[in-house]
Amino acid sequence: DYNTAVGRSALVANTTGARNTAMGTFSLDANTTGDFNTGLGYAALTANTTADNNTAVGYEAMLANTTGYDNTAVGRRALDANTDGHSNTAVGESSLTSNTGGDRNVAIGQNAMSVNSTGSENVAIGRNALDANTTASENVAVGDGALTANTTGAGNVAVGHSAGAAIDTGSGNVCIGENAGDGLNGDNGKWNVAVGLNALSASSANFQNTAVG
C-alpha cells in the first residue's frame, strides 16, 4: 500500500491506509484507514485513525487528531489538540496548540493562536499573534503581538508590532502600524480605523473612530 514506517510502533495499527509516511516513535500508530498522511517526530499524528492528507512534523505535532483532514502542522506541539478541525496550517512551536474543531486557520510563529479552540478562518503571523483568541473568526493579525488580547472579537485586521493589542471583544477594527489601536478595548472597541504609529493608542471613545498619522 506504499506506506513507509520508521520507528517504534510507527503505523503499527494500519490496515488499509495507503501512501502514508511515519517516522518516529508512535507516529501514526493508531492509523487504520487514513491515506496520504505524513507524521515525522515523536507521537506525531499518534491518534489519527481515518483522516487523510495531514502533515505533522515535530514532537507531538497533531497529537490528538483523529478525523481532521487537510491539516499541516510544523513545530513542537503544533495543532496537538486538534481532533476534527480541517484545512488548518500551523507553523511554529505551540501554534494553534489548543485548536480542536476550528477550520481554515493559518498560524505562523511561536504561540500564534495558541488558545484557539473553534475559531475559524483566522490568519495570525508573528510570535503571540492572536494568542488569546478562542472562538472568534475572520481575524487577520500580522506582527509580533498583533491582536494579542483578542478573545471573541471577529473581523479585525491588525498589521504591525502590537497592533490592536488591547482589543479583546471588539469587532470590525482595522489597525495598521506599531501600537495602532492600542487604546481600543472592550465591547465598545468596534468599527474603528487606526493607521500609523500609536494611532488611537489613547482613545477613550472606542466606537467608529478614524485616525490616520
Side-chain angles (χ1 to χ4, degrees), residues 113-127:
M113 291 191 69
S114 58
V115 301
N116 191 77
S117 55
T118 58
S120 297
E121 297 178 349
N122 295 289
V123 176
I125 300 175
R127 179 177 175 270

Side-chain angles (χ1 to χ4, degrees), residues 14-15 20 23 27-28 40 42 55 105 118 133 153 180 186 192 203 205:
N14 197 73
T15 53
N20 297 289
M23 302 183 71
S27 59
L28 275 165
L40 305 178
Y42 178 88
T55 299
N105 293 294
T118 58
N133 197 80
N192 297 285
S203 176

Side-chain angles (χ1 to χ4, degrees), residues 108-113 124-132 140-150 158-167 175 177-180 182:
I108 300 175
Q110 184 184 38
N111 296 325
M113 291 191 69
I125 300 175
R127 179 177 175 270
N128 297 330
L130 266 174
D131 62 325
V140 176
V142 180
D144 189 345
L147 284 174
T148 186
N150 192 76
V159 180
H161 179 83
S162 297
I167 296 171
C175 304
E178 184 176 355
N179 297 325
D182 205 32

